[in-house]
Amino acid sequence: MNPAEVIKQRMQMYNSPYHRVTDCVRAVWQNEGAGAFYRSYTTQLTMNVPFQAIHFMTYEFLQEHFNPQRRYNPGSHVLSGACAGAVAAAATTPLDVCKTLLNTQESLALNSNITGHITGMASAFRTVYQVGGVTAYFRGVQARVIYQIPSTAIAWSVYEFFKYLITKRQEEWRASK
């Protein structure tokens, strides 16, 4: 998914020079090479592991609080899922900011970077700090949290619903034997 993320983010940039996906792919390939599509790969992995860990731990913690009997309870699944996604998104926003910078090579940041291209997580972290200080690591945190809340609420409620259905069918099948 990393190449798709690079293209999506470059096309979403303010004043993006790209009008079609194919234009963007061609320009990135010709000007920066194949490596540009994977420049943020390690950052993506580094972001997803803590995101998922925080997400699952928060969901389980909240389920213990809102649904200690662990029964099928759609309200608790939606609420716990939404909160878990929000916490995980907020906590991993600095990594997402660095990943976006690696993918877009945004010109303001490039102008502040001596080497020209931002390559690797350490370089991205330094550049974000140089350009905007500590607060720059949390740019877009509200949008990221707002995006994750419905996504994780829906995902957990669907997961718990199907888990309930499968468990119920298994119990009914066992009872009929």
Side-chain angles (χ1 to χ4, degrees):
M1 290 307 296
N2 217 78
E5 186 78 3
V6 170
I7 301 306
K8 176 188 73 108
Q9 288 177 341
R10 288 188 184 215
M11 291 187 74
Q12 287 176 337
M13 287 174 43
Y14 179 73
N15 285 334
S16 174
Y18 311 111
H19 298 288
R20 294 188 332 228
V21 170
T22 54
D23 296 336
C24 186
V25 171
R26 189 177 305 109
V28 171
W29 185 273
Q30 289 173 347
N31 298 331
E32 300 175 54
F37 293 106
Y38 295 95
R39 198 175 278 136
S40 69
Y41 183 70
T42 56
T43 306
Q44 180 77 35
L45 288 178
T46 304
M47 180 180 69
N48 284 344
V49 170
F51 178 92
Q52 293 303 334
I54 293 166
H55 180 199
F56 276 81
M57 288 188 296
T58 304
Y59 180 80
E60 289 299 325
F61 173 80
L62 292 172
Q63 279 296 286
E64 280 296 318
H65 179 73
F66 295 126
N67 189 8
Q69 294 80 27
R70 297 299 182 127
R71 294 191 179 113
Y72 178 64
N73 180 336
S76 78
H77 303 314
V78 167
L79 181 61
S80 297
C83 292
V87 170
T92 58
T93 294
L95 293 164
D96 192 48
V97 168
C98 292
K99 177 196 68 152
T100 301
L101 178 58
L102 285 165
N103 284 343
T104 62
Q105 298 290 304
E106 203 267 321
S107 62
L108 171 65
L110 286 174
N111 292 337
S112 71
N113 189 308
I114 298 166
T115 62
H117 280 295
I118 301 163
T119 56
M121 193 165 37
S123 175
F125 267 94
R126 275 191 305 276
T127 303
V128 169
Y129 185 76
Q130 288 170 352
V131 170
V134 173
T135 58
Y137 291 115
F138 292 94
R139 275 222 178 105
V141 67
Q142 298 92 343
R144 193 159 190 265
V145 166
I146 289 168
Y147 171 81
Q148 285 297 328
I149 286 173
S151 173
T152 52
I154 292 166
W156 278 111
S157 61
V158 169
Y159 167 77
E160 294 287 358
F161 174 72
F162 280 104
K163 186 173 89 172
Y164 169 75
L165 279 181
I166 291 167
T167 303
K168 187 176 177 184
R169 284 215 176 154
Q170 286 176 338
E171 289 171 358
E172 289 170 356
W173 182 75
R174 285 185 189 128
S176 68
K177 283 180 113 183

